[in-house]
Amino acid sequence: MRKHSIQDLDRTALSRLSAALKLPAFEKGWVWLAGAGPGEAGLITALGLHAIASADVILYDALLNDDLLAFARPAAELIFAGKRGGMRSCKQADISQTLVEYARRGARVLRLKGGDPLVFGRGAEEALTLADAHVPFRIVPGVTAGIGGLAYAGIPVTHRDTNQVVTFLTGHGADGKLPELDWPSIARGSPTIVLYMARKFAGEIAEKLIAAGRKPEEPAAIVSNASLGEQHVSVTTLAGLGAAAAASSAPAILVIGENVRLRQGMDWLSQVTTPPALRQVS
Ligand code: SAH
């Protein structure tokens, strides 16, 4: 699926950058669990990019910006480990086992995920399997969609005047149902609630929060394809969240709270005339 590959000259520049930043060497037989950020390629960390450029095998997810794979070594094996296509079975246990097997054969194995690998990304399960198998691993954090994605919508995840607490939650439990959470505590305890994987149950979640005392007219927003050219932000209310979510496209981050209003002054991305995906650094 390799679309294009960077030139040798760029590869040399990249290894100079890694040396200047004193980045750790990717040793053979190691697994690195890395996050690539929420979408726009530039949101990967220098360490994440260095990992891509050094790996022998890269297992990547559906939400990955595949422009980043151009930095892989030409001989690197790229394995799609998302829910669609790719590996015959993408069960979590199989992915973890594949990481172990490649590492035991002496490969530099990169497990590359969207956002941060440890935020609703099952990175911990993989890390624990590697630990059990005595495979050495490193974790490379990434910009998570619930923070970076909101920043691209001009919504600060915290602001002194609106919220000194923020709650991150997933709207999708392990069994595919709405997780059983202490909704009254969430409603009372956190002025700002950021929801991942919540398009399906957004209406139900809003009802539970309203039943627990949150105001139906409280501002809420849905950020679809955050940081990508197709980014779309829909600003609504808690009462309107279900309908707005049904009309939104995936992937989407939902946010409820007064901090959403700050977008009125902070929506920097609409000031940028070309879509982020087309912008070039000159
Ligand atoms: N580990 C990832 C989250 C994986 S769960 C992270 O830290 O960001 C997948 C969910 O992340 C999606 O359902 C969506 O809620 C959110 N998400 C990921 N990328 C996104 C994007 N570009 N725009 C909006 N939401 C995104």
Side-chain angles (χ1 to χ4, degrees), residues 73 133 214:
R73 294 169 50 234
R214 296 291 283 246

Side-chain angles (χ1 to χ4, degrees), residues 122-269:
R122 314 195 70 167
E125 276 133 284
E126 292 169 12
L128 291 169
T129 305
L130 295 168
D132 279 349
H134 303 288
V135 170
F137 63 91
R138 170 183 282 271
I139 292 169
V140 182
V143 176
T144 190
I147 298 178
L150 293 192
Y152 266 61
I155 301 170
V157 74
T158 71
H159 175 58
R160 231 170 21 169
D161 297 342
T162 57
N163 64 304
Q164 298 190 331
V165 178
V166 57
T167 292
F168 295 99
L169 64 83
T170 171
H172 197 92
D175 53 4
K177 299 196 184 123
L178 179 63
E180 282 184 30
L181 300 172
D182 181 351
W183 296 104
S185 298
I186 293 169
R188 270 196 309 273
S190 190
T192 294
I193 305 169
V194 177
L195 305 103
Y196 292 70
M197 296 179 272
R199 283 170 66 248
K200 188 168 163 199
F201 296 118
E204 245 177 273
I205 293 170
E207 276 171 27
K208 287 183 188 294
L209 293 171
I210 292 168
R214 296 291 283 246
K215 292 198 174 65
E217 63 277 12
E218 187 175 338
I222 300 177
V223 188
S224 290
N225 290 301
S227 82
L228 293 165
E230 325 82 82
Q231 172 169 310
H232 181 79
V233 183
S234 129
V235 175
T236 176
T237 59
L238 185 52
L241 195 62
S248 71
S249 42
I253 277 288
L254 278 54
V255 53
I256 300 161
E258 288 298 325
N259 58 326
V260 169
R261 288 193 208 281
L262 291 149
R263 173 172 155 81
Q264 283 164 20
M266 282 181 58
D267 173 24
W268 60 273
L269 191 64

